[in-house]
Amino acid sequence: MNEHDWKTVLSRAQRGLREEFRLYLVAITSLAVAFLGVGGALLFDANLGALAERWGQSGRMSIFIESDAQAADVAQLQAVLEGLPETDEVTFVSSEAARRAFLDESEMVAELSSVPAEAFPASLEVHIVPGTPVQRVGAIGTRVSEFRAVSDVETYRGFFNRLQSLVAAGRGVAGLLAFLVALCVFAVIGNTIRLAVARRRGEIEVMKLCGATDRFVRGPFVLEGTFQGLAAALLAVTVLVIAFLVLRHSIDGSVAALTGIEATFLGPGTLVGLVLAGGLIGAAGSALSLRRYLAV
Protein backbone atom coordinates (compact mmCIF):
# COMPACT_ATOMS: atom_id res chain seq x y z
CA MET A 1 0.00 0.00 0.00
CA ASN A 2 1.17 3.55 -0.76
CA GLU A 3 1.14 6.51 1.59
CA HIS A 4 -2.35 7.55 0.58
CA ASP A 5 -3.68 4.05 1.26
CA TRP A 6 -2.08 4.05 4.73
CA LYS A 7 -3.68 7.39 5.57
CA THR A 8 -7.03 6.03 4.43
CA VAL A 9 -6.60 2.87 6.54
CA LEU A 10 -5.71 4.98 9.60
CA SER A 11 -8.70 7.23 9.01
CA ARG A 12 -11.04 4.25 8.72
CA ALA A 13 -9.55 2.70 11.88
CA GLN A 14 -10.16 5.93 13.80
CA ARG A 15 -13.74 6.04 12.56
CA GLY A 16 -14.21 2.39 13.51
CA LEU A 17 -12.95 3.07 17.02
CA ARG A 18 -15.43 5.90 17.41
CA GLU A 19 -18.35 3.92 16.04
CA GLU A 20 -17.58 0.78 18.04
CA PHE A 21 -16.47 2.63 21.18
CA ARG A 22 -18.81 0.86 23.59
CA LEU A 23 -18.08 -2.57 22.16
CA TYR A 24 -14.33 -2.02 22.30
CA LEU A 25 -14.53 -0.47 25.78
CA VAL A 26 -16.09 -3.65 27.16
CA ALA A 27 -13.39 -5.76 25.49
CA ILE A 28 -10.57 -3.53 26.76
CA THR A 29 -11.89 -3.61 30.33
CA SER A 30 -12.21 -7.38 30.31
CA LEU A 31 -8.73 -7.84 28.87
CA ALA A 32 -7.24 -5.36 31.35
CA VAL A 33 -8.32 -7.64 34.19
CA ALA A 34 -6.51 -10.54 32.52
CA PHE A 35 -3.36 -8.48 31.95
CA LEU A 36 -3.55 -7.29 35.55
CA GLY A 37 -3.36 -10.91 36.66
CA VAL A 38 -0.23 -11.43 34.56
CA GLY A 39 1.33 -8.25 35.94
CA GLY A 40 0.56 -9.31 39.50
CA ALA A 41 2.14 -12.72 38.89
CA LEU A 42 5.24 -11.09 37.40
CA LEU A 43 5.45 -8.69 40.36
CA PHE A 44 5.20 -11.55 42.85
CA ASP A 45 7.83 -13.51 40.93
CA ALA A 46 10.18 -10.49 40.83
CA ASN A 47 10.00 -10.00 44.60
CA LEU A 48 10.36 -13.71 45.25
CA GLY A 49 13.43 -13.78 43.02
CA ALA A 50 14.90 -10.77 44.84
CA LEU A 51 14.30 -12.51 48.15
CA ALA A 52 16.01 -15.68 46.97
CA GLU A 53 18.97 -13.69 45.64
CA ARG A 54 19.26 -11.62 48.81
CA TRP A 55 19.17 -14.59 51.17
CA GLY A 56 21.22 -16.76 48.90
CA GLN A 57 24.03 -14.21 48.69
CA SER A 58 24.02 -13.47 52.42
CA GLY A 59 25.14 -17.01 53.23
CA ARG A 60 24.84 -17.83 56.89
CA MET A 61 25.59 -20.66 59.28
CA SER A 62 24.43 -21.04 62.87
CA ILE A 63 26.57 -23.19 65.16
CA PHE A 64 24.79 -24.03 68.41
CA ILE A 65 26.96 -24.51 71.47
CA GLU A 66 26.57 -27.20 74.13
CA SER A 67 25.26 -25.85 77.44
CA ASP A 68 28.29 -27.24 79.31
CA ALA A 69 30.89 -26.17 76.75
CA GLN A 70 34.08 -24.59 78.04
CA ALA A 71 34.76 -20.96 77.14
CA ALA A 72 38.22 -21.93 75.88
CA ASP A 73 36.74 -24.49 73.48
CA VAL A 74 34.26 -21.93 72.12
CA ALA A 75 37.02 -19.34 71.69
CA GLN A 76 39.18 -21.90 69.87
CA LEU A 77 36.31 -22.82 67.54
CA GLN A 78 35.63 -19.16 66.82
CA ALA A 79 39.29 -18.56 66.01
CA VAL A 80 39.32 -21.52 63.61
CA LEU A 81 36.22 -20.25 61.82
CA GLU A 82 37.57 -16.71 61.55
CA GLY A 83 40.68 -18.10 59.89
CA LEU A 84 38.74 -19.74 57.07
CA PRO A 85 38.76 -17.86 53.73
CA GLU A 86 35.06 -18.69 53.27
CA THR A 87 33.95 -16.83 56.41
CA ASP A 88 33.32 -13.10 56.46
CA GLU A 89 32.37 -12.61 60.12
CA VAL A 90 31.89 -14.83 63.17
CA THR A 91 29.81 -13.51 66.06
CA PHE A 92 29.22 -15.19 69.42
CA VAL A 93 25.64 -14.90 70.68
CA SER A 94 25.11 -15.83 74.32
CA SER A 95 21.98 -17.49 75.65
CA GLU A 96 20.82 -14.24 77.23
CA ALA A 97 21.45 -12.29 74.03
CA ALA A 98 19.49 -14.88 72.04
CA ARG A 99 16.63 -14.60 74.53
CA ARG A 100 16.58 -10.79 74.33
CA ALA A 101 16.62 -10.87 70.52
CA PHE A 102 13.73 -13.34 70.50
CA LEU A 103 11.66 -11.21 72.89
CA ASP A 104 12.40 -8.04 70.90
CA GLU A 105 10.98 -9.64 67.74
CA SER A 106 8.02 -11.29 69.46
CA GLU A 107 4.61 -9.73 70.02
CA MET A 108 4.03 -11.89 73.13
CA VAL A 109 6.67 -10.31 75.36
CA ALA A 110 4.56 -10.52 78.53
CA GLU A 111 3.73 -14.20 78.01
CA LEU A 112 7.31 -15.19 77.17
CA SER A 113 9.22 -12.98 79.61
CA SER A 114 9.40 -15.80 82.13
CA VAL A 115 11.17 -18.16 79.74
CA PRO A 116 14.70 -18.73 81.12
CA ALA A 117 17.83 -17.96 79.11
CA GLU A 118 18.77 -21.65 79.23
CA ALA A 119 15.97 -22.32 76.73
CA PHE A 120 17.95 -20.42 74.11
CA PRO A 121 21.27 -22.09 73.27
CA ALA A 122 24.35 -19.95 72.74
CA SER A 123 25.61 -19.93 69.17
CA LEU A 124 28.24 -18.75 66.78
CA GLU A 125 26.65 -16.88 63.87
CA VAL A 126 28.86 -17.25 60.81
CA HIS A 127 28.46 -15.04 57.75
CA ILE A 128 29.73 -16.76 54.63
CA VAL A 129 31.55 -14.89 51.87
CA PRO A 130 29.13 -14.36 48.92
CA GLY A 131 29.72 -16.77 46.07
CA THR A 132 30.95 -19.61 48.27
CA PRO A 133 29.84 -22.94 46.72
CA VAL A 134 27.04 -24.73 48.52
CA GLN A 135 29.10 -27.90 48.74
CA ARG A 136 31.89 -26.05 50.53
CA VAL A 137 29.48 -24.58 53.09
CA GLY A 138 28.11 -28.07 53.73
CA ALA A 139 31.60 -29.47 54.15
CA ILE A 140 32.46 -26.77 56.70
CA GLY A 141 29.28 -27.51 58.61
CA THR A 142 30.10 -31.22 58.70
CA ARG A 143 33.61 -30.62 60.04
CA VAL A 144 32.43 -28.10 62.62
CA SER A 145 29.79 -30.50 63.94
CA GLU A 146 32.61 -32.81 65.09
CA PHE A 147 33.85 -30.30 67.68
CA ARG A 148 32.94 -31.34 71.21
CA ALA A 149 31.59 -27.89 72.06
CA VAL A 150 29.04 -28.06 69.20
CA SER A 151 25.53 -29.45 69.67
CA ASP A 152 24.13 -28.72 66.21
CA VAL A 153 24.93 -26.89 62.96
CA GLU A 154 22.37 -25.21 60.71
CA THR A 155 23.48 -24.14 57.20
CA TYR A 156 19.95 -23.27 55.97
CA ARG A 157 20.65 -24.97 52.65
CA GLY A 158 17.40 -26.92 52.81
CA PHE A 159 15.48 -23.67 53.17
CA PHE A 160 17.36 -22.05 50.30
CA ASN A 161 16.69 -25.08 48.08
CA ARG A 162 12.98 -24.92 48.87
CA LEU A 163 12.99 -21.19 48.17
CA GLN A 164 14.64 -21.75 44.79
CA SER A 165 12.04 -24.40 44.00
CA LEU A 166 9.32 -21.93 44.94
CA VAL A 167 10.84 -19.30 42.61
CA ALA A 168 10.92 -21.82 39.76
CA ALA A 169 7.31 -22.79 40.46
CA GLY A 170 6.29 -19.12 40.54
CA ARG A 171 7.89 -18.52 37.15
CA GLY A 172 6.11 -21.56 35.78
CA VAL A 173 2.77 -20.27 37.06
CA ALA A 174 3.47 -16.82 35.57
CA GLY A 175 4.29 -18.41 32.22
CA LEU A 176 1.14 -20.53 32.27
CA LEU A 177 -0.95 -17.51 33.22
CA ALA A 178 0.58 -15.50 30.38
CA PHE A 179 -0.30 -18.29 27.94
CA LEU A 180 -3.90 -18.40 29.18
CA VAL A 181 -4.16 -14.63 28.95
CA ALA A 182 -2.88 -14.77 25.37
CA LEU A 183 -5.63 -17.26 24.52
CA CYS A 184 -8.16 -15.00 26.24
CA VAL A 185 -6.96 -12.00 24.24
CA PHE A 186 -7.20 -13.98 21.00
CA ALA A 187 -10.75 -15.05 21.82
CA VAL A 188 -12.07 -11.69 23.04
CA ILE A 189 -10.51 -9.58 20.31
CA GLY A 190 -11.44 -12.15 17.68
CA ASN A 191 -15.10 -12.09 18.70
CA THR A 192 -15.08 -8.29 18.98
CA ILE A 193 -13.64 -7.86 15.50
CA ARG A 194 -16.11 -10.38 14.13
CA LEU A 195 -18.98 -8.27 15.51
CA ALA A 196 -17.44 -5.13 14.03
CA VAL A 197 -17.12 -6.87 10.63
CA ALA A 198 -20.77 -7.92 10.75
CA ARG A 199 -21.88 -4.35 11.47
CA ARG A 200 -19.82 -2.96 8.57
CA ARG A 201 -20.59 -5.69 6.05
CA GLY A 202 -22.30 -3.29 3.68
CA GLU A 203 -19.33 -0.92 3.64
CA ILE A 204 -16.96 -3.80 2.98
CA GLU A 205 -19.00 -5.06 0.04
CA VAL A 206 -19.02 -1.60 -1.54
CA MET A 207 -15.25 -1.32 -1.12
CA LYS A 208 -14.69 -4.70 -2.78
CA LEU A 209 -16.91 -3.73 -5.69
CA CYS A 210 -14.77 -0.61 -6.11
CA GLY A 211 -11.62 -2.78 -6.37
CA ALA A 212 -10.24 -2.56 -2.81
CA THR A 213 -7.62 -5.22 -1.99
CA ASP A 214 -7.93 -7.66 0.89
CA ARG A 215 -5.08 -5.94 2.70
CA PHE A 216 -6.76 -2.57 2.34
CA VAL A 217 -10.03 -3.94 3.74
CA ARG A 218 -8.42 -5.80 6.62
CA GLY A 219 -6.00 -3.05 7.65
CA PRO A 220 -8.36 -0.98 9.84
CA PHE A 221 -9.61 -4.04 11.71
CA VAL A 222 -6.04 -5.15 12.49
CA LEU A 223 -5.25 -1.66 13.77
CA GLU A 224 -8.39 -1.69 15.91
CA GLY A 225 -7.41 -5.06 17.39
CA THR A 226 -3.90 -3.75 18.05
CA PHE A 227 -5.34 -0.74 19.84
CA GLN A 228 -7.52 -2.96 22.03
CA GLY A 229 -4.53 -5.04 23.11
CA LEU A 230 -2.34 -1.98 23.75
CA ALA A 231 -5.07 -0.16 25.67
CA ALA A 232 -5.90 -3.18 27.83
CA ALA A 233 -2.26 -3.83 28.72
CA LEU A 234 -1.60 -0.13 29.36
CA LEU A 235 -4.67 0.11 31.59
CA ALA A 236 -3.51 -2.94 33.56
CA VAL A 237 0.00 -1.51 33.99
CA THR A 238 -1.45 1.84 35.14
CA VAL A 239 -3.65 0.16 37.74
CA LEU A 240 -0.73 -1.96 38.93
CA VAL A 241 1.54 1.08 39.31
CA ILE A 242 -1.09 3.09 41.20
CA ALA A 243 -1.90 0.17 43.51
CA PHE A 244 1.80 -0.37 44.26
CA LEU A 245 2.40 3.30 45.02
CA VAL A 246 -0.66 3.52 47.28
CA LEU A 247 0.15 0.32 49.18
CA ARG A 248 3.94 0.62 49.08
CA HIS A 249 4.35 1.95 52.62
CA SER A 250 2.36 -0.84 54.24
CA ILE A 251 3.88 -3.44 51.90
CA ASP A 252 7.43 -2.32 52.73
CA GLY A 253 6.68 -2.48 56.45
CA SER A 254 5.35 -6.02 56.27
CA VAL A 255 7.84 -7.40 53.72
CA ALA A 256 10.88 -5.80 55.35
CA ALA A 257 9.90 -7.14 58.78
CA LEU A 258 9.50 -10.69 57.45
CA THR A 259 12.26 -10.91 54.84
CA GLY A 260 14.70 -8.07 55.46
CA ILE A 261 14.20 -6.57 51.97
CA GLU A 262 11.95 -3.87 50.57
CA ALA A 263 9.31 -4.66 47.98
CA THR A 264 10.46 -4.01 44.42
CA PHE A 265 8.40 -3.12 41.36
CA LEU A 266 8.71 -4.38 37.81
CA GLY A 267 11.43 -2.80 35.71
CA PRO A 268 10.63 -0.39 32.84
CA GLY A 269 11.64 -3.04 30.30
CA THR A 270 9.11 -5.51 31.71
CA LEU A 271 6.33 -2.92 31.73
CA VAL A 272 7.02 -1.83 28.16
CA GLY A 273 7.27 -5.46 27.08
CA LEU A 274 3.90 -6.22 28.66
CA VAL A 275 2.23 -3.33 26.81
CA LEU A 276 3.87 -4.23 23.49
CA ALA A 277 2.91 -7.87 23.97
CA GLY A 278 -0.70 -6.75 24.41
CA GLY A 279 -0.55 -4.89 21.11
CA LEU A 280 1.07 -7.78 19.24
CA ILE A 281 -1.39 -10.32 20.59
CA GLY A 282 -4.26 -7.98 19.72
CA ALA A 283 -3.00 -7.61 16.16
CA ALA A 284 -2.52 -11.37 15.78
CA GLY A 285 -5.95 -12.10 17.25
CA SER A 286 -7.71 -9.71 14.89
CA ALA A 287 -5.75 -10.97 11.87
CA LEU A 288 -6.63 -14.58 12.60
CA SER A 289 -10.26 -13.65 13.18
CA LEU A 290 -10.37 -11.83 9.85
CA ARG A 291 -8.99 -14.82 7.99
CA ARG A 292 -11.78 -16.95 9.38
CA TYR A 293 -14.75 -14.60 9.37
CA LEU A 294 -14.11 -11.95 6.71
CA ALA A 295 -15.10 -13.46 3.40
CA VAL A 296 -13.91 -10.90 0.91
Side-chain angles (χ1 to χ4, degrees), residues 2-284:
N2 55 38
E3 183 178 353
H4 179 267
D5 290 340
W6 277 113
K7 290 182 178 179
T8 303
V9 168
L10 288 174
S11 176
R12 288 173 52 215
Q14 291 175 354
R15 179 165 56 85
L17 290 173
R18 290 194 301 268
E19 294 176 352
E20 308 293 346
F21 176 75
R22 292 184 179 179
L23 175 64
Y24 290 166
L25 181 61
V26 173
I28 289 171
T29 305
S30 302
L31 294 175
V33 175
F35 279 113
L36 188 61
V38 174
L42 292 175
L43 183 60
F44 175 77
D45 180 70
N47 282 274
L48 195 60
L51 175 63
E53 182 179 0
R54 167 69 175 83
W55 286 3
Q57 289 181 352
S58 60
R60 180 182 165 210
M61 179 189 302
S62 295
I63 302 173
F64 298 101
I65 307 300
E66 294 281 5
S67 58
D68 57 349
Q70 299 296 319
D73 293 336
V74 176
Q76 181 184 11
L77 175 58
Q78 184 172 358
V80 170
L81 290 170
E82 290 174 342
L84 296 176
E86 294 83 3
T87 59
D88 187 37
E89 182 182 2
V90 182
T91 304
F92 175 75
V93 180
S94 64
S95 297
E96 182 58 33
R99 177 179 178 275
R100 285 198 306 269
F102 177 79
L103 292 178
D104 290 341
E105 297 177 1
S106 175
E107 297 181 355
M108 303 174 60
V109 178
E111 293 84 350
L112 299 175
S113 59
S114 60
V115 177
E118 290 75 15
F120 301 88
S123 64
L124 289 173
E125 299 299 326
V126 183
H127 292 273
I128 305 297
V129 174
T132 302
V134 177
Q135 296 79 3
R136 179 56 182 163
V137 176
I140 294 175
T142 301
R143 294 291 301 274
V144 168
S145 64
E146 298 175 357
F147 279 72
R148 60 185 178 184
V150 175
S151 62
D152 192 17
V153 177
E154 178 58 71
T155 60
Y156 305 99
R157 293 318 309 173
F159 172 77
F160 292 144
N161 291 337
R162 289 192 294 272
L163 184 59
Q164 291 292 346
S165 299
L166 185 60
V167 171
R171 289 173 180 169
V173 170
L176 177 61
L177 185 59
F179 175 74
L180 294 177
V181 167
L183 294 180
C184 176
V185 173
F186 273 111
V188 172
I189 290 183
N191 290 331
T192 304
I193 295 298
R194 182 177 62 173
L195 291 174
V197 168
R199 293 183 180 184
R200 288 142 73 179
R201 175 68 65 181
E203 175 188 344
I204 294 170
E205 291 177 352
V206 171
M207 293 174 61
K208 290 298 294 181
L209 290 174
C210 294
T213 63
D214 290 349
R215 179 182 299 180
F216 185 79
V217 174
R218 292 187 175 100
F221 295 103
V222 174
L223 290 178
E224 291 168 28
T226 303
F227 173 79
Q228 291 179 64
L230 283 172
L234 184 59
L235 178 59
V237 167
T238 303
V239 172
L240 197 63
V241 170
I242 293 175
F244 184 82
L245 292 177
V246 171
L247 301 175
R248 182 170 187 176
H249 180 72
S250 58
I251 291 176
D252 280 345
S254 302
V255 173
L258 292 173
T259 64
I261 65 171
E262 293 184 352
T264 59
F265 195 65
L266 299 175
T270 303
L271 297 177
V272 173
L274 187 61
V275 174
L276 293 180
L280 290 175
I281 297 174

